[in-house]
Amino acid sequence: EDEITVVEREMKEFWTELKSIYGTEQINQTLALRDSCKESIQVLSERWSKKLKEGDLMVDKIQEYRNEILQQNKHISQNQEHLTEIKSNLNHEEERKKELMDNIQELKEELMKKKQIISSKNKATKERVERLCKSKELFEERLGLEIRRIHNEQLQFIFRHIDHKDPDKPYVFTLSINEDGDYEVTSCTPPLDCISEFQLKVRETNNFSAFIANIRKAFTALSYK
């Protein structure tokens, strides 16, 4: 626009000078040429104005695209961070899962061992009870002893012929085998102060016959008091 203004001003100056030199015909020709130039200049001005507006629109569009790209890049960066966090959480969960599976396997192995131990103890307990029952006739014959199997795999020992005043009076104690596989007296009638000592001794020596004999002697001694 500035250049157009300069051209118009120079044309006006040229026209003033021209009128002072040439005649009417030359002036009319010059005027026609001037009008033609002005029309050409107007067409070019409109064309360039349109181009400039299109350029401005294109610049605005490019800026808009740049802003969209920046926003997309921001979203991509955020998604990458979120994806990294998810991968980290997955790895952590995999580690926890593996640790949990290892713990479960250890518990299974420990449970199997405990089952085997319990099974072995139960087998040993049953075998020991069976041996005691096999000795029943010997004890009944020599010590006047009756052995009964009662609930929870316990054995009840009943002595008679101890009190000379009342031979049928029963002297009773109940024996079981605890979780550790040791003999344990669960009841004694009448009570004996030395029963804990006898129980400890049979655990140390595993001499069950001596254990029964000692209890019978203690009952006998008690009957004379």
Side-chain angles (χ1 to χ4, degrees), residues 141-158:
E141 180 181 350
R142 298 187 179 182
L143 301 176
L145 173 63
E146 179 184 355
I147 301 175
R148 298 176 182 174
R149 178 180 292 183
I150 58 176
H151 61 279
N152 295 331
E153 295 296 330
Q154 296 186 102
L155 294 178
Q156 189 178 64
F157 296 79
I158 305 172

Side-chain angles (χ1 to χ4, degrees), residues 13 15 128 148 165:
E13 293 175 355
W15 173 246
R128 189 171 292 183
R148 298 176 182 174
K165 297 179 180 178

Side-chain angles (χ1 to χ4, degrees), residues 126-141:
K126 289 182 179 180
E127 291 176 352
R128 189 171 292 183
V129 170
E130 292 296 331
R131 289 197 299 269
L132 293 177
C133 290
K134 289 180 181 179
S135 304
K136 177 180 178 181
E137 295 181 0
L138 177 63
F139 289 135
E140 288 179 348
E141 180 181 350

